[in-house]
Every structure is written in structure tokens, then in C-alpha cells.
Amino acid sequence: MPQPRVQIRPRRRPPLHFLPLGGCGEIGMNLNLYGYAEKEHEDRWIAVDCGMMIRQDLPDSPLQVPDLATLDTLGIAPEALIITHGHEDHIGAAAWLWPQWGCPIHATPLAAGLLRAKFAERGLSQSAIHVIEPGEALSVGPFGLRYLPLTHSIPESCALLITAGSHRVLHTGDWKLDPEPLIGPAVEAELYRALAPVDLVVGDSTNAPLPGHSRSEGEVADALAQAIEGCRGRVVVSCFASNLARVLAIGRAAARCGRRVALMGRSMERMVGVARGLGYLDDMPPLVPISDMGYLPPEEVLVIATGSQGEPRAALSRLARGRHPHVELEAGDSVIFSSKAIPGNERLIERLKRGLRHLGVSLLDESNHAELHASGHPAQDELTTFYGWTRPRHLLPVHGEPRHQQAHQSLAQSLGIAAPLIPRNGDMIRLDGEGLHLETRHAQTPRIIHQDEVARLPGLGGGEARHGQGQLHLALTVMATEQGWTRIGRLLLDASETSPLDEDAFIDWLDDCLDDIQVESLADLRLALRPRMLAWFGDHLRRMPEIHLQILAAEAEVSG
């Protein structure tokens, strides 16, 4: 009798799960999780990036960070946080959310330096932050990860090759194909060709609707040199602090035109300080303290400033209001916007530009000089080239609003890449031998962070100081004007056993805050100022003292 045939079923490979909690359906606040189970029902997870966005559409421009409630509900605890690069929309929420995980953080040197500064400000231990060089690899549980260099508008941006079981995923992070990035090497095509084919690309959609190729930083450097050479008075160039190639190009152009360079804005000073410590700006011209710029002839002055998005408290807005203590703009000076307006910031940017025009300042921006800025994200030709190198079988379009994701999906499908899903935050997506599938959808609630929410802080005035925290006494004289409240004379400040306080930064913030508060009486002013002042000190002091605030009224003189 013939023996029955034994049918051997092929072993089904365990699926890989992808769960975005930020950056899908929006630009900013990136947080993505990958899960893989070597044994059934024993998923282990890693998190990639942990970013925030600034809600300019809400009062006081609070932060929005990803909501971790879904992770609590599903019992997900990432074993590591992997950072692709140092932009705020990829690292800005880490100091808020990481304490709930306590896992190791892996980042390239620049991103690690920026994270350490953030953690130090919040009094968090920096021991969890581990440096990994571009090109290196590491293992986390069942995951293998390799950092693969890509050009972007900040140095050390990396894609991640993520392996889990037999799955090979390329998580691109933010990128472009820049032949002349100024800082760091151009992209190595052979490095990415060697990966092909990959099972899945989780890819940047920001510029997917745009035809052609993103402009190179080398081209922007040439345009900036020409623009600065044509200016006669003081020159202020505003760009994103993280775009170190742009900062370097501005510095070099200034030196060629015989101008001295100063930095304006705390984020600019911090970014340049961290970068110089890593050797990135060794050929930057010597910097002049901003306090010395007022003594130089206008034609010898160039300031690199933050605030291109119209942020009310940033350096450029203070210049537009004549509120900067060291530099005053006047007719004949020029302000160059080497940046693009982020959607949602148009109203603030226009208000900023109105203030500058009122001073008689000449403006050069994307509306009349598009060559002064380059995006850090890939347009359609770059996406096509990159996918020709890596030959992905599947695509998940992330990092963009729905129209960007849809354009990315359409492009992928035209190239023969399977892209059946447009992820939204909270989508649990499975990759298995049959492709991509949406398993479940978890609604996400916006988590808004007001600065006074950070720590449970004592009230202003009243009660005894907590042991060892010290006391801070403030006396503030104000006058009511048609525009609102204005500080008069010196702020009297007496601190005892408190953390070091940047008085200049606090006074700048206080003046801006008074501008924004529209109330009729001193009592209402105190009520409005109380939570905001608490928030500021909570964000800038490591140890919160007991604060005693006194507000006095000054009467306006009446003539004749």
C-alpha cells in the first residue's frame, strides 16, 4: 500500500507591526513604534524619534506632544528610543515623554548633544543618552538597526535599516539628495543600492507633491553671498538655528563682504555652541558678542537671528518692535529671510514683516528671492531616484499632511511599489508575507503642554518656602497705556538660595508678556500674570523657589 504523502507547510514568518503616534497627517511631532514578536503574543517594541510641534494657533503658543495613552492601553513599553536627527519635530518631546519609559536613547553626536542640553535644563539624568556614529549598527532585543547617512538641513541625519526576523525595513527619517551639502558628505548611491530590495520603506512625504529636485545648499550659499554683497546698512539674516550649513554659508559671505558676525537668539547660540564643540564650524569666521554690535558702523554688521516664523518672543520680533537692548534697526538696513513659511505661521510672519517695514527696513524673502532658501526634503525626482536604488516592495508614506501622503502614494504606485495604506496617527499596521494590513485604529487626543503643567509648582506669594528651595522677591512697576501695560523703570529682583536666573531673558519675556495681556485693573493683571510667570520659572529654573510678586502702578504725567 502506498504511503500517504506528508505535506509540510512553510513556516509562517511572524509579522512586524508599525504604530505611528505622530507625524502622519501632519508635519511635525514625529513618533513611530515598531513591534516584533519572536514568540507569538510576546511583542517587543522600539520607538523611533520623539518630536513636538508648536501650536501657533493657540493662545501662548503651547507645545503639542504625542499622546501615550494608546501605549498604556496596549501595554507597550519601548525598549529603546532611536533618534534619526536633531530637529525639534524629532527630539523636542523627549524630555517630556522619555521619563515615562526610562529606556536607553541612541542618537548621533549632534542630536545627542542637543538632547543632553534639554535634559540638563529639566533636571533629568543624561546617562540614558548613548552616542552612535553615522554608519554604525546596534541591536535592541530582536531588532537590528544600522544608521545610514542621508543629507538633510541638519548634519548627521540618518535613515535606519531595521531588521527583525526576515523583515527588512528602511525608515528614511528626513532627507534630500544634495550634491553639495556644505557640511558632511553627499549621499552614497552605492550604500543604498546594496540594500535592495527592501521589504518596506517608511518614507518622508513632505515634498512629494513637488516636481523636480530640491535646491542644493551650495546654490543657496551662492545666492546669499550675492544678496549680502548688495546690502548697504546693517544686515540681519534669519534662518532655522539647526541649519548649520546655512549658518556657515552666511558667516562665510559676511567675511567676504567685510562684515563682523554675531548670533542673536538663545536657540541659535545653543545650536552653534554644540556644533562647534563637535568640530562642525571650525571655518566659521570669529563671532562678535551681540552686545558689541551697536558700536560698529552699520556696513560692518551682520547678525544671524532666530525668529523667521514670526515667533513673538524670538530675536527677530524683538528687533521689529525696537525692543532689543543691543541692536536697533533703521531705514536702509536689510533683513533676509533664508527660510520658508511653515503652514500655520503666515499670520505671525506677516505681522513681523509689517513691523520691519514700518522701520524702513528692506526685506528679502521667498516671495522675491526664492533662491535664498532650500528645502531639506525630497521632491519627486529625488524620490524616484532613491526608490530606484533601494527597490522597495512596499511603502508607507509618513511625515506629511494627507495631500503630501497621497502624492507620495501615487508616485510609489506609478513606480510599481505597493502602497495600499495612508497611515494616520494611531493606526496599528501589520507587515507580513501577504503585505500591509490595517489591524486596528486608536483615536489620538491632542496633548497640549502648557509650561505651567510641567511641574507641580507652588503659587506666587503666600505660604512658607519649601525647605532648601529659597525665595524670589520681585517688584514690578507698570503703567497703563492705550496699547496695554508697560513696564516702567527697573525690575527689582532679590533672589535667595535659588537656581541661577538669566535676568535679561526673564525681562525680555516679561515685556512681551505684558504686551499680550489685555486687562483693565492691577488685580486682573496680577491674576493674568501669575500662571504665566509660574510657567516661565518652572521652565527655566532647576529648583523652584517660593515667589513673592508685588505690582505697583505708575501714573502717567499730564501736561499743562
Side-chain angles (χ1 to χ4, degrees):
M1 176 181 289
Q3 295 293 319
R5 290 185 177 180
V6 177
Q7 185 175 7
I8 300 176
R9 291 184 179 179
R11 185 179 178 185
R12 187 168 64 94
R13 64 175 180 170
L16 178 77
H17 284 98
F18 175 72
L19 174 63
L21 295 183
C24 287
E26 64 200 0
I27 295 176
M29 205 176 72
N30 296 278
L31 172 57
N32 303 283
L33 292 109
Y34 290 89
Y36 181 74
E38 292 176 304
K39 298 179 180 178
E40 196 170 358
H41 306 304
E42 292 184 12
D43 274 17
R44 300 172 70 179
W45 293 83
I46 56 171
V48 175
D49 292 329
C50 191
M52 60 85 168
M53 67 170 66
I54 300 175
R55 291 294 300 272
Q56 303 280 21
D57 58 319
L58 297 178
D60 295 329
S61 300
L63 308 181
Q64 182 174 334
V65 301
D67 183 15
L68 300 187
T70 298
L71 301 189
D72 295 338
T73 300
L74 298 176
I76 293 173
E79 296 182 33
L81 171 58
I82 313 297
I83 301 297
T84 61
H85 66 282
H87 274 151
E88 285 296 301
D89 62 333
H90 291 256
I91 67 170
W96 311 94
L97 303 184
W98 171 83
Q100 299 181 48
W101 300 334
C103 61
I105 302 172
H106 300 280
T108 51
L110 179 59
L114 297 171
L115 279 169
R116 287 191 180 116
K118 288 177 177 294
F119 277 37
E121 279 188 354
R122 306 221 61 78
L124 298 173
S125 171
Q126 303 165 43
S127 61
I129 301 171
H130 304 282
V131 173
I132 183 166
E133 296 289 339
E136 290 185 349
L138 71 152
S139 297
V140 178
F143 295 96
L145 300 116
R146 182 173 292 279
Y147 276 71
L148 302 171
L150 275 174
T151 47
H152 183 43
S153 52
I154 187 173
E156 301 176 359
S157 190
C158 287
L160 298 170
L161 178 65
I162 302 172
T163 59
S166 58
H167 300 286
R168 300 173 73 249
V169 177
L170 185 63
H171 183 105
T172 69
D174 294 0
W175 65 281
K176 64 188 286 187
L177 297 182
D178 192 335
E180 192 181 358
L182 296 190
I183 294 180
V187 178
E188 294 182 36
E190 290 307 313
L191 176 66
Y192 287 91
R193 287 195 181 104
L195 305 178
V198 295
D199 296 311
L200 171 66
V201 163
V202 177
D204 181 357
S205 306
T206 311
N207 279 349
L210 302 180
H213 197 289
S214 298
R215 187 176 288 111
S216 170
E217 284 296 329
E219 296 176 66
V220 177
D222 293 340
L224 282 167
Q226 291 183 8
I228 293 168
E229 189 174 9
C231 296
R232 294 294 169 258
R234 299 173 189 83
V235 176
V236 177
V237 186
S238 187
C239 64
F240 296 115
S242 59
N243 195 331
L244 295 173
R246 198 76 51 86
V247 171
L248 179 60
I250 296 164
R252 288 173 173 172
R256 286 198 294 270
C257 296
R259 292 181 180 271
R260 308 294 296 277
V261 181
L263 305 179
M264 185 181 289
R266 296 182 70 189
S267 61
M268 183 70 70
E269 292 169 357
R270 171 190 290 174
M271 181 66 70
V272 170
V274 172
R276 290 185 114 174
L278 294 169
Y280 275 118
L281 297 175
D282 288 345
D283 53 349
M284 179 85 175
L287 296 173
V288 175
I290 192 65
S291 57
D292 293 349
M293 277 301 196
Y295 301 106
L296 295 176
E299 63 274 10
E300 294 181 16
V301 170
L302 187 140
V303 175
I304 308 176
T306 58
S308 64
Q309 300 304 301
E311 303 95 317
R313 298 172 191 168
L316 197 53
S317 288
R318 285 189 285 159
L319 284 174
R321 297 195 304 271
R323 284 279 184 85
H324 198 277
H326 304 302
V327 178
E328 185 174 345
L329 295 180
E330 57 188 15
D333 295 340
S334 299
V335 173
I336 298 172
F337 287 80
S338 185
S339 60
K340 185 177 180 63
I342 296 174
N345 293 345
E346 294 86 355
R347 180 183 59 83
L348 289 172
I349 294 171
E350 187 49 43
R351 184 173 73 176
L352 167 64
K353 290 180 178 178
R354 276 201 309 270
L356 293 169
R357 292 189 191 101
H358 183 72
L359 297 175
V361 171
S362 299
L363 300 182
L364 291 78
D365 59 21
E366 61 180 326
S367 67
N368 52 26
H369 289 278
E371 71 278 6
L372 295 174
H373 177 63
S375 172
H377 303 273
Q380 291 174 3
D381 285 358
E382 291 157 280
L383 290 168
T384 300
T385 298
F386 190 72
Y387 295 153
W389 295 344
T390 55
R391 293 190 287 120
R393 298 186 177 98
H394 303 88
L395 170 79
L396 285 174
V398 299
H399 201 291
E401 297 170 356
R403 66 183 182 90
H404 305 104
Q405 293 174 284
Q406 290 162 7
H408 199 176
Q409 179 189 48
S410 297
L411 176 68
Q413 290 171 338
S414 73
L415 298 173
I417 301 168
L421 302 175
I422 292 182
R424 292 191 295 177
N425 294 334
D427 284 357
M428 181 68 79
I429 295 171
R430 183 179 79 252
L431 172 67
D432 58 23
E434 298 176 357
L436 292 166
H437 315 273
L438 175 62
E439 283 192 349
T440 54
R441 178 162 281 152
H442 304 271
Q444 300 298 294
T445 303
R447 182 178 173 193
I448 303 299
I449 298 284
H450 295 281
Q451 301 297 318
D452 56 352
E453 179 186 322
V454 180
R456 304 283 191 258
L457 304 175
L460 290 174
E464 296 297 320
R466 291 181 295 170
H467 178 69
Q469 298 297 79
Q471 300 189 38
L472 185 62
H473 295 265
L474 299 106
L476 170 65
T477 303
V478 298
M479 183 175 69
T481 68
E482 292 182 1
Q483 289 76 35
W485 295 93
T486 299
R487 181 173 60 87
I488 302 297
R490 291 183 58 211
L491 173 72
L492 300 180
L493 189 151
D494 182 26
S496 168
E497 300 178 18
T498 65
S499 304
L501 171 65
D502 185 338
E503 292 188 28
D504 289 341
F506 173 67
I507 289 170
D508 287 341
W509 170 85
L510 180 61
D511 289 341
D512 289 339
C513 196
L514 289 170
D515 278 348
D516 292 338
I517 295 175
Q518 301 295 319
V519 295
E520 299 296 326
S521 68
L522 278 183
D524 288 339
L525 176 62
R526 180 184 175 84
L527 287 174
L529 193 56
R530 177 192 303 264
R532 301 182 192 206
M533 192 174 285
L534 255 179
W536 195 92
F537 284 119
D539 200 36
H540 290 81
L541 296 180
R542 288 191 185 181
R543 295 184 304 152
M544 189 66 182
E546 186 72 34
I547 297 174
H548 302 268
L549 173 66
Q550 184 179 16
I551 303 179
L552 307 172
E555 298 295 331
E557 293 185 5
V558 179
S559 61

